[in-house]
Structures are given as C-alpha cells and as structure tokens.
Amino acid sequence: MRPILMKGHERPLTFLKYNRDGDLLFSCAKDHTPTVWFADNGERLGTYRGHNGAVWSCDVSRDSTRLITGSADQTVKLWNVQTGTQLYTFNFGSPARSVDFTVGDQLAVITTDPFMDLTSAIHVKRIARDPTDQIEESVLVIKGPQGRINRAVWGPLNRTVISAGEDAVIRIWDSETGKLLRESDKESGHKKTITSLSKSADCSHFLTGSLDKSAKLWDTRTLTLIKTYVTERPVNAVAMSPLLDHVVLGGGQDASAVTTTDHRAGKFEAKFFDKILQEEIGGVKGHFGPINALAFNPDGKSFSSGGEDGYVRLHHFDPDYFNIKI
C-alpha cells in the first residue's frame, strides 16, 4: 500500500472531508487556505482563498456544489466548490471551530470557541438555495457547556445535534428547541478532552476520540457506550470504515511535546482496530508528526490522513486488506 503524498499546505492539517461521491477530498489546515484534491490520484484541483486565520473544519454539500468552512478568523464561509468563489460569510465574535451540513443541506450547525467574555456556543444557520437570499441570523443558538466544543454534528433525521469537547462530556440537543436531551455517563465516558467525533454512514452510532488515549463507540439514540478502543497515545482523529468493521485512530503528542519523543522518522501511525472485537489489527506509518485528521472514502477502499507535518497521505488499500481475519 504505497501512499500518495499530497503536498499543498504550509502548516499543520486540521480536517479532511470527502464528498459523497468519493471523488473529491477537501483539506483544511492552519495556513488559511482550504484545498480540494482529486481523491484517486491526489492531484490538487484548487484552493479556496479568503480566510484570514487557521481553518478548523469544513463540510461539503450532498451534490458537491457548496463548501462550508469554519475558521479562527471568526468567520464561517460558504463557497462555490467548482469556481472557488465566496458565496457568503457568517461573522461571529469568536473563532468558529466546527461546521456540519444537515442531510438535505438546508441547515448548518456551527460551533464557536470561548473568546474574551463570550462562552462557547452552538449555532444553527439556515442555508439558502440561492446565495443572494442568504441571511446572517441563527435559527437557534445553544449556550451551556463550559470550555471549547470541538465538534458538533447532526443526529438522525436532523432532529438532534451531538456535541463534544473540552469538558469530555458528549451531549445530545434537540435541534428545534435547543433543549439538552442526553449527556454521556461520567463513569463510562471520556476522562479528558474529546478531540474528534465521526458518525457511521447510517448515523446509528458514532465514534469519539480523546486525549485520554482512547476512542469510544456510542449509540446515537440512547448515548449508550458500545465499545472502547485503547491506545498508548492521545487520539486526535478518528474515522470509521463504511465498508468493513474497522475503525482507525490517529494521534500523537501535542505539538509542543513532540520534541521530547524519539526522532525515528514516521513514528506516528494510524492504527486500525476491529470495530467489534476492539483489537488492533494493524497500523499505517508515515507521518513525521501527530495525525490531526483522518477520513475514509465513502466506498471504503481508501483513506487519507493529515498530519502536523503539513502533508496529506492518501492510501488506497491493497486487495489483502479486505481479507484480514483475526
């Protein structure tokens, strides 16, 4: 399995997202410029210029026409995927951390960081079909959790919003009223900051990664803990195979602590676990720094990882990967 090395970012990667067809890969980094690549050969198609700070996350509409990006410059921007033009800018009083379209792309959920005297918040915005009709107002603003909310995504049928972050609690909110419906159990839940959250293809369960050196699989409706995957370093990114029962975890120390580790090249690996048996089945080495972003192609035949080293590595699986037996 020879990775394709995609060099286009000058700063650490923060987020990776495939479109629904699996032919395009969108990458966000701290260099202000989200980038789109061909997902089969890693060729760079273009960039989206206009942000003035690190870009923390992105999402792409079902028909691959609209891109939404959230940035530390306190804005969320909507883009035309094909031309790279800015369609609209939402302005906030604090850095925008997470963005996620609903099924149907009519709403987006956006999280903003605590900043000055503002607490972190979850905003729901209506996304207009025609950019000229787009309005700034939020349909709903949820305030509450202390500390940063690192990720908020839509639950099944867009009825709920699932959020997770620094306080290590996963919360499920009613997306119409903003009422808190469920919180993850303190005993079975994560012990440190939750860094990442990834839903299954059918939205029935989701995976969270945390600095407590574990990832956990949860039932979306009941918030019951299903599985726990334990590693020996903090988890920065998680992804689930849409094809096989595999989960992949990426991580490493915080950037500031990296200098204290050994200098062997490519020590930072993406670890594959059997989703059901919770056993490690393999790893993919290669990055020269912690892995900050992971994404599976919707067809399950390839995955990509983005690192603190500024590279995106695109891996097409070998045929024997599909026959791994434990």
Side-chain angles (χ1 to χ4, degrees):
M1 189 165 78
R2 294 210 43 196
I4 298 170
L5 240 74
M6 292 145 66
K7 181 85 181 120
H9 289 290
E10 299 162 5
R11 297 284 316 282
L13 270 287
T14 54
F15 200 77
L16 290 169
K17 179 85 186 177
Y18 283 93
N19 66 342
R20 192 174 61 109
D21 301 329
D23 61 339
L24 299 176
L25 175 62
F26 296 86
S27 60
C28 302
K30 293 184 182 176
D31 63 5
H32 312 182
T33 314
T35 301
V36 59
W37 317 74
F38 271 126
D40 61 340
N41 60 5
E43 187 185 329
R44 184 160 78 159
L45 268 168
T47 55
Y48 300 90
R49 295 185 180 276
H51 275 302
N52 208 3
V55 181
W56 294 119
S57 70
C58 69
D59 196 10
V60 58
S61 64
R62 191 178 166 91
D63 60 2
S64 300
T65 58
R66 299 268 186 278
L67 179 71
I68 186 170
T69 54
S71 168
D73 66 7
Q74 308 190 353
T75 68
V76 166
K77 289 183 188 289
L78 288 168
W79 309 81
N80 178 321
V81 167
Q82 199 174 352
T83 62
T85 48
Q86 286 183 48
L87 301 175
Y88 194 81
T89 301
F90 296 102
N91 292 291
F92 298 94
S94 57
R97 174 75 42 180
S98 163
V99 290
D100 193 49
F101 280 128
T102 48
V103 174
D105 305 318
Q106 293 186 0
L107 298 168
V109 63
I110 298 163
T111 68
T112 54
D113 288 356
F115 189 70
M116 313 286 265
D117 51 355
L118 294 169
T119 57
S120 55
I122 301 168
H123 308 257
V124 175
K125 302 277 190 190
R126 198 171 296 291
I127 305 295
R129 279 259 159 78
D130 183 348
T132 52
D133 301 337
Q134 185 64 51
I135 54 167
E136 174 87 20
E137 279 73 46
S138 299
V139 186
L140 177 70
V141 179
I142 304 169
K143 291 189 169 135
Q146 293 306 301
R148 195 166 79 203
I149 305 166
N150 283 329
R151 194 86 183 107
V153 297
W154 293 96
L157 301 175
N158 305 338
R159 287 188 182 150
T160 54
V161 169
I162 306 161
S163 72
E166 276 188 339
D167 61 3
V169 180
I170 299 162
R171 294 182 175 85
I172 296 185
W173 311 84
D174 185 302
S175 63
E176 289 205 357
T177 63
K179 204 168 107 227
L180 180 61
L181 301 176
R182 288 197 169 77
E183 282 191 354
S184 60
D185 183 50
K186 281 270 193 295
E187 289 301 302
S188 61
H190 285 293
K191 301 293 180 270
K192 289 185 181 170
T193 296
I194 296 170
T195 54
S196 48
L197 191 158
S198 170
K199 292 186 294 189
S200 64
D202 63 359
C203 213
S204 64
H205 53 286
F206 65 92
L207 184 65
T208 54
S210 164
L211 299 182
D212 65 10
K213 304 181 182 172
S214 75
K216 290 176 186 284
L217 195 69
W218 307 84
D219 182 288
T220 309
R221 281 205 318 250
T222 61
L223 207 51
T224 323
L225 179 65
I226 308 171
K227 303 281 179 187
T228 300
Y229 313 94
V230 184
T231 69
E232 62 280 346
R233 52 173 72 108
V235 179
N236 299 341
V238 293
M240 267 186 284
S241 168
L243 191 63
L244 302 173
D245 286 323
H246 292 170
V247 301
V248 55
L249 316 181
Q253 300 83 340
D254 200 38
S256 55
V258 166
T259 48
T260 58
T261 61
D262 72 2
H263 55 270
R264 280 206 305 273
K267 174 154 183 288
F268 298 91
E269 61 178 341
K271 287 190 188 297
F272 281 73
F273 283 78
D274 186 289
K275 192 192 233 172
I276 315 297
L277 303 174
Q278 307 177 48
E279 287 176 27
E280 193 178 327
I281 46 182
V284 179
K285 289 189 171 67
H287 281 285
F288 289 87
I291 294 173
N292 295 339
L294 286 169
F296 257 98
N297 191 309
D299 68 5
K301 295 178 181 170
S302 61
F303 87 105
S304 53
S305 56
E308 191 75 24
D309 55 8
Y311 281 97
V312 179
R313 297 174 77 93
L314 175 64
H315 309 264
H316 288 280
F317 293 118
D318 295 334
D320 54 358
Y321 162 81
F322 301 98
N323 304 320
I324 294 175
K325 298 275 184 290
I326 290 201

